Amino acid sequence: MARHITFGVILTGTGGPGEHNRWLDPEIPGDASVDIDWYIEQARTAEQAALDLVFIVDSQFITPDSPPHYLNRLEPLTLLSALAVRTERIGLVGTATTSYNSPYNLARRFASLDLISRGRAGWNVVTSGDAGTAGNYGLDEHYDYATRYGRAAEHIEVSQALWDSYEDDAFPRDRESGVFLDPSRLHATDHHGEHFSVVGPLNIERSPQGQPVIFQAGDSDEGRDLGARYADGIFTHASTIERNRAFADDIKGRAAAAGREPENVLILPGVKIIVGDTDEEARELELAQHRLSNTFDQALGELGRPFGWHDFRQYDLDAPFPDVLVHAERSFKTQATQIVELAKAQSLTLRQVVDLHAAPRRSPFVGTALTVADALEAWFRAGAADGFNIYVSQPSQLRRFIDEVLPILRERGLARSGYEGTTLRDHLGLPKPANRHTLARAAAEADLVAVP
Amino acid sequence: MARHITFGVILTGTGGPGEHNRWLDPEIPGDASVDIDWYIEQARTAEQAALDLVFIVDSQFITPDSPPHYLNRLEPLTLLSALAVRTERIGLVGTATTSYNSPYNLARRFASLDLISRGRAGWNVVTSGDAGTAGNYGLDEHYDYATRYGRAAEHIEVSQALWDSYEDDAFPRDRESGVFLDPSRLHATDHHGEHFSVVGPLNIERSPQGQPVIFQAGDSDEGRDLGARYADGIFTHASTIERNRAFADDIKGRAAAAGREPENVLILPGVKIIVGDTDEEARELELAQHRLSNTFDQALGELGRPFGWHDFRQYDLDAPFPDVLVHAERSFKTQATQIVELAKAQSLTLRQVVDLHAAPRRSPFVGTALTVADALEAWFRAGAADGFNIYVSQPSQLRRFIDEVLPILRERGLARSGYEGTTLRDHLGLPKPANRHTLARAAAEADLVAVP
């Protein structure tokens, strides 16, 4: 396989979900999530190593118990637009929800980021799992699952139609003739669907990569179908080689069934990488990091998230796990269902479920640089991953990955030593999508020629 | 008056409304409106001269006949966020509509820009005059006038409430005690109004200037009330000293009636400044620039804009001006009414109205550097303006303003030679608004003390 391993870096400032105390680490500024200079520094570090992209997560609902990064953070697209002019090559992927954005507005913002970055924008499409988000957008309750996924699919389709408003040769800008626009190359959208109605056209031209790259995560049946139909990159959890291989095969199978080239759908598990001088030292660091943020009480609070931030403190810890799946209906349903089913199958009490969640997890990507490089290669070669979205717990760990792990992968021909192209699609080995109207005209002209 | 003259620079890339052919000027790159480097260069030029702000206009509806800048442009907030990290001090003011944005989403984007720029963000509140915008947001027709202005007022109030979600001391981030957030300093919004319902809180802290600065334009009665109640800066047209003085007095009177300090509402007419070696040379340049874009046909097309881009080509040019005010109902009604009333009062034909619109206008700010400086000073001293929003037709003209006009004003004590503060509020001489919850608690505590 000629392709290298794709690497994204998840930039989360003061720590991700389940990491309430990451900011206590002296390496992490307490205000990292609202400090643009901190983001610029991390992104430039990743770019110097020719990594493919940085990735910004998002959520728009908080309670006083939310992890620090969620409490106080920059909005992904304004953040990425600032990074766009302080970096040169690295891809810029931001999370935005299809549940609480208008397609015209959001498509325009991504198109603008794509031009500002000269073709490096990516959109991580989410439907918002935090049901409380609805209250910030005038709804009494969050959309049901079917509506969320129906909106997501239609939102992507409208956005891609809007992004093709102008063909690539729409602007002659010819001073001799005084012709700025060729109006035959401007196309209204005229979309009137179940969830959205958008006349168009969008008032912004295509970028050097044609359209922003689509990313998606979501493990439910609906989520997998959505990703397989529309996404160029799929973010997922890293479990085991076998399970992730099965996930990748499933997605690529669905993509093929939808008429797409499976190799143009990149599977990118999110992984925690910790490099130590010895495997033991790295495992100890993993455990120390885990313990920093996983007290029983924090795990009890965090357990509520997939259930719409349901408060589990109201239940008897030693009674059987309560019957709470109803609260997950408009939240992170897949994740909640897995928790409930496991508790049922093993007859677990609430305390046992919390203990399981607070228990240390062992990432497959912890050890010496060689151990980590071997694990990454094994996953890649087994077809369990086309690349990895790296969660960086500490800036010094990003440096160790870059300085110690990457050289090994480069030696093995699995990582680039520099960028070969300029756009995010170039980095990912994805073709630039042709404008649909240009294609349609070419097809019509071919038909005319073909008719005797 | 201790205050200097405020100066904004309107950055419009390939030209503003009525300037279809500005891009033919060799100084203007044909793709200026989508070239972030062009914007960065202009903003840095303005910043080197310690001007107060750059201003980005907007619209979200185009036809093939729209002026080049409208056809293809960057979205204001992504654009300004990029400028934020390539400038240090200059204010960054972007246009965004309250008709087709959700308050939570938009307030969050401005708050993010405000943090990224370390307190330099401003929001030019508009209600969208182009009725066709509705079609891009799922509506059959644009909101009526009352709804537009009702939404605008409520949108600003919700946004300002959201921006006060965190008090300034909300984040102890104390590593000793492990306390990141003081939850007593986090406040839900719980707004349930006629147009919007937003539970909050916003997940982003206040910037060094407290809240983004509010700008507004709008000449109707509703528009003037909105500006007087909420705006820190009012953009308006430059007509004559007398008329602008009357406008300023009216706005400041309304502000005082609403309980505000009139001097904290800055009146900023938009002006075209052209500097020449002689007054005659400057006037010739003005005329040449005017003729470039004001053919009869272009004026005929442009006349349609306030009437919802109504097509006037369907009428007999030599018949009385047609009865078309109905088309302006959900568009730029005030401007359209003025046109219709003038035509009626003077019994003008359509051709005569178009001729009037295509006729050269003489800006009061065209001439030698001394002429321009004198005019600016006269307007400022007469109370017709607290400052000016300069429309720059050519980069070389911005340079001449900076190199030739500003030194004269500095000598007269009317312009700064450098920034005295770091935030946009500092530049404008506006106080940092205290957080409403901090104020309320202080008031409650004072009450407790006062009670014997």
Side-chain angles (χ1 to χ4, degrees):
Chain A
M1 181 175 215
R3 230 179 215 158
H4 67 279
I5 304 180
T6 295
F7 284 112
V9 178
I10 307 171
L11 297 182
T12 60
T14 46
E19 290 218 315
H20 287 254
N21 294 329
R22 185 100 296 276
W23 67 280
L24 289 176
D25 191 312
E27 277 195 38
I28 314 285
D31 62 354
S33 295
V34 289
D35 180 0
I36 191 64
D37 292 332
W38 189 87
Y39 282 97
I40 291 170
E41 197 184 321
Q42 306 307 312
R44 290 170 76 120
T45 299
E47 181 172 73
Q48 281 154 19
L51 303 187
D52 296 278
L53 60 94
V54 293
F55 169 57
I56 308 294
V57 298
D58 197 32
S59 86
Q60 301 188 74
F61 170 69
I62 55 168
T63 74
D65 295 325
S66 299
H69 178 64
Y70 288 80
L71 283 172
N72 187 18
R73 73 191 332 170
L74 299 173
E75 185 275 329
L77 271 88
T78 36
L79 165 53
L80 288 171
S81 192
L83 294 186
V85 292
R86 297 294 291 273
T87 56
E88 300 274 335
R89 292 293 186 89
I90 198 161
L92 305 164
V93 181
T95 301
T97 179
T98 53
S99 292
Y100 302 108
N101 277 296
S102 305
Y104 191 91
N105 191 322
L106 190 63
R108 186 174 177 224
R109 290 162 63 201
F110 271 108
S112 191
L113 175 65
D114 211 20
L115 278 184
I116 288 171
S117 64
R118 315 238 181 249
R120 296 185 282 137
W123 173 22
N124 177 41
V125 179
V126 299
T127 66
S128 290
D130 283 326
T133 312
N136 291 331
Y137 289 92
L139 294 187
D140 287 334
E141 60 176 356
H142 193 20
Y143 296 116
D144 63 35
Y145 216 73
T147 305
R148 274 162 63 187
Y149 277 87
R151 282 179 64 99
E154 195 178 326
H155 203 302
I156 296 170
E157 287 194 356
V158 182
S159 298
Q160 292 181 327
L162 285 165
W163 290 331
D164 274 357
S165 292
Y166 286 113
E167 295 183 58
D168 291 342
D169 58 353
F171 293 102
R173 295 177 181 125
D174 179 24
R175 287 198 165 87
E176 293 285 304
S177 60
V179 173
F180 187 82
L181 167 74
D182 176 351
S184 74
R185 299 296 191 259
L186 169 60
H187 304 275
T189 311
D190 280 331
H191 172 94
H192 302 284
E194 189 183 343
H195 304 285
F196 304 108
S197 173
V198 183
V199 175
L202 192 65
N203 56 350
I204 188 163
E205 68 180 46
R206 281 160 45 107
S207 85
Q209 71 172 347
Q211 295 198 347
V213 181
I214 302 287
F215 294 84
Q216 194 264 354
D219 200 25
S220 68
D221 204 52
E222 295 91 331
R224 289 180 184 213
D225 268 339
L226 185 75
R229 273 167 66 203
Y230 299 105
D232 304 297
I234 307 275
F235 296 134
T236 184
H237 295 286
S239 168
T240 63
I241 285 196
E242 295 68 32
R243 282 196 211 141
N244 278 75
R245 167 66 193 263
F247 175 82
D249 287 348
D250 178 61
I251 294 287
K252 298 202 179 202
R254 290 176 195 235
R260 300 182 63 203
E261 292 289 343
E263 70 264 31
N264 288 342
V265 184
L266 304 178
I267 310 295
L268 307 169
V271 300
K272 186 167 197 169
I273 291 182
I274 297 178
V275 181
D277 291 338
T278 63
D279 287 348
E280 295 67 36
E281 188 199 81
R283 285 291 170 199
E284 275 163 31
L285 189 54
E286 181 187 31
L287 196 61
Q289 286 192 3
H290 178 86
R291 285 195 176 132
L292 190 65
S293 284
N294 286 273
T295 64
F296 186 90
D297 283 349
Q298 282 166 341
L300 182 64
E302 193 81 21
L303 184 65
R305 190 179 190 207
F307 301 90
W309 287 108
H310 185 65
D311 188 356
F312 279 95
R313 286 172 296 197
Q314 64 191 291
Y315 301 110
D316 180 355
L317 285 167
D318 296 306
F321 190 78
D323 186 17
V324 289
L325 199 51
V326 61
H327 301 292
E329 194 49 53
R330 288 163 195 241
S331 196
F332 295 95
K333 198 171 78 171
T334 309
Q335 198 187 338
T337 305
Q338 285 164 354
I339 293 168
V340 169
E341 285 179 357
L342 182 76
K344 217 177 269 175
Q346 306 192 2
S347 305
L348 302 176
T349 62
L350 173 56
R351 185 190 302 280
Q352 286 169 322
V353 169
V354 175
D355 278 339
L356 267 178
H357 279 258
R361 261 145 290 169
R362 288 170 64 90
S363 160
F365 308 98
V366 172
T368 63
L370 189 63
T371 300
V372 172
D374 285 346
L376 294 169
E377 178 173 2
W379 279 57
F380 181 67
R381 292 209 185 274
D386 295 300
F388 301 90
N389 211 17
I390 305 175
Y391 174 68
V392 179
S393 52
Q394 295 171 310
S396 61
Q397 278 293 332
L398 178 57
R399 280 250 63 92
R400 291 199 76 162
F401 170 73
I402 288 171
D403 294 341
E404 301 174 37
V405 179
L406 266 190
I408 300 174
L409 296 174
R410 287 199 187 113
E411 206 150 291
R412 296 179 187 175
L414 293 168
R416 273 186 324 230
S417 49
Y419 292 108
E420 286 151 17
T422 62
T423 70
L424 178 52
R425 285 184 193 276
D426 289 341
H427 306 340
L428 301 179
L430 298 171
K432 173 179 172 176
N435 183 294
R436 66 192 64 195
H437 304 290
T438 311
L439 279 181
R441 197 178 37 256
E445 283 165 9
D447 273 358
L448 280 179
V449 172
V451 172
Chain B
M1 179 173 216
R3 232 181 214 155
H4 67 279
I5 304 179
T6 296
F7 283 112
V9 178
I10 307 171
L11 298 182
T12 60
T14 45
E19 289 218 315
H20 286 254
N21 294 330
R22 185 100 295 279
W23 68 279
L24 289 176
D25 190 313
E27 276 195 38
I28 313 284
D31 62 353
S33 296
V34 288
D35 181 359
I36 191 63
D37 291 332
W38 190 88
Y39 282 96
I40 291 171
E41 197 183 321
Q42 306 307 312
R44 291 170 76 119
T45 299
E47 182 171 73
Q48 281 154 19
L51 303 187
D52 296 277
L53 60 93
V54 293
F55 168 57
I56 308 294
V57 299
D58 196 31
S59 85
Q60 301 187 74
F61 170 69
I62 56 168
T63 74
D65 295 325
S66 299
H69 178 64
Y70 289 80
L71 283 172
N72 187 18
R73 72 191 332 171
L74 299 174
E75 185 275 330
L77 270 89
T78 35
L79 165 53
L80 288 171
S81 193
L83 294 186
V85 293
R86 297 293 293 273
T87 57
E88 300 274 335
R89 292 293 187 88
I90 197 161
L92 305 165
V93 181
T95 301
T97 180
T98 53
S99 292
Y100 302 109
N101 277 296
S102 305
Y104 191 91
N105 192 323
L106 190 62
R108 187 174 178 224
R109 290 162 62 199
F110 271 108
S112 190
L113 175 65
D114 212 19
L115 277 184
I116 289 170
S117 65
R118 315 238 181 247
R120 297 186 281 136
W123 173 22
N124 178 40
V125 180
V126 300
T127 65
S128 290
D130 283 325
T133 312
N136 290 332
Y137 289 91
L139 295 185
D140 287 334
E141 60 176 355
H142 193 21
Y143 296 117
D144 63 35
Y145 216 73
T147 305
R148 275 162 61 187
Y149 277 87
R151 282 179 64 99
E154 196 179 326
H155 204 302
I156 296 170
E157 288 194 356
V158 182
S159 298
Q160 293 182 327
L162 285 166
W163 290 330
D164 275 356
S165 291
Y166 286 113
E167 295 184 58
D168 291 342
D169 58 354
F171 293 102
R173 296 178 181 124
D174 180 25
R175 287 198 165 86
E176 294 284 306
S177 60
V179 174
F180 187 82
L181 167 74
D182 176 352
S184 74
R185 300 297 192 257
L186 168 61
H187 304 275
T189 311
D190 280 331
H191 173 94
H192 302 284
E194 187 182 345
H195 304 285
F196 303 108
S197 173
V198 183
V199 174
L202 192 65
N203 56 350
I204 188 163
E205 68 179 46
R206 281 160 46 108
S207 87
Q209 72 172 346
Q211 294 198 348
V213 181
I214 302 286
F215 294 84
Q216 194 264 353
D219 201 26
S220 68
D221 205 51
E222 295 91 332
R224 289 181 184 213
D225 268 340
L226 185 75
R229 272 167 68 204
Y230 300 104
D232 304 297
I234 307 275
F235 297 134
T236 183
H237 295 285
S239 169
T240 63
I241 286 196
E242 294 70 31
R243 282 195 211 142
N244 278 74
R245 167 65 192 263
F247 175 81
D249 287 349
D250 178 61
I251 295 285
K252 298 202 179 203
R254 291 176 195 236
R260 299 184 62 203
E261 292 289 344
E263 70 262 32
N264 288 342
V265 185
L266 303 178
I267 309 295
L268 307 169
V271 299
K272 184 166 198 173
I273 291 182
I274 296 178
V275 181
D277 291 338
T278 63
D279 286 348
E280 295 67 37
E281 188 199 80
R283 285 290 171 199
E284 275 164 31
L285 189 52
E286 182 186 30
L287 196 61
Q289 286 191 3
H290 178 87
R291 285 195 176 133
L292 190 64
S293 284
N294 287 272
T295 64
F296 185 89
D297 283 348
Q298 281 165 342
L300 183 62
E302 195 81 20
L303 184 64
R305 190 178 190 210
F307 301 91
W309 286 109
H310 185 66
D311 187 358
F312 279 95
R313 286 172 295 196
Q314 64 192 289
Y315 301 109
D316 180 355
L317 284 167
D318 296 307
F321 190 77
D323 186 15
V324 289
L325 199 50
V326 61
H327 301 292
E329 195 48 53
R330 288 163 195 242
S331 198
F332 295 94
K333 198 171 79 171
T334 309
Q335 198 188 338
T337 304
Q338 286 164 354
I339 293 169
V340 168
E341 285 180 354
L342 182 77
K344 215 176 268 175
Q346 305 192 2
S347 305
L348 302 176
T349 63
L350 174 57
R351 185 190 302 279
Q352 286 169 322
V353 170
V354 175
D355 278 339
L356 268 178
H357 279 257
R361 259 145 291 169
R362 288 169 64 92
S363 160
F365 307 97
V366 172
T368 63
L370 190 62
T371 300
V372 172
D374 285 346
L376 294 170
E377 177 171 3
W379 280 57
F380 181 68
R381 292 207 185 275
D386 295 299
F388 302 90
N389 211 17
I390 305 174
Y391 174 68
V392 179
S393 53
Q394 295 171 309
S396 62
Q397 278 294 330
L398 178 57
R399 279 250 64 92
R400 291 198 75 162
F401 170 74
I402 288 171
D403 295 340
E404 301 174 37
V405 179
L406 265 191
I408 300 174
L409 296 174
R410 287 199 185 113
E411 206 151 292
R412 297 176 186 177
L414 294 168
R416 274 186 324 229
S417 49
Y419 293 108
E420 286 152 17
T422 61
T423 71
L424 177 52
R425 286 184 192 276
D426 289 342
H427 306 339
L428 301 178
L430 298 171
K432 174 179 172 176
N435 183 293
R436 65 192 63 197
H437 305 289
T438 312
L439 280 180
R441 195 177 41 254
E445 283 165 9
D447 273 357
L448 280 179
V449 172
V451 172

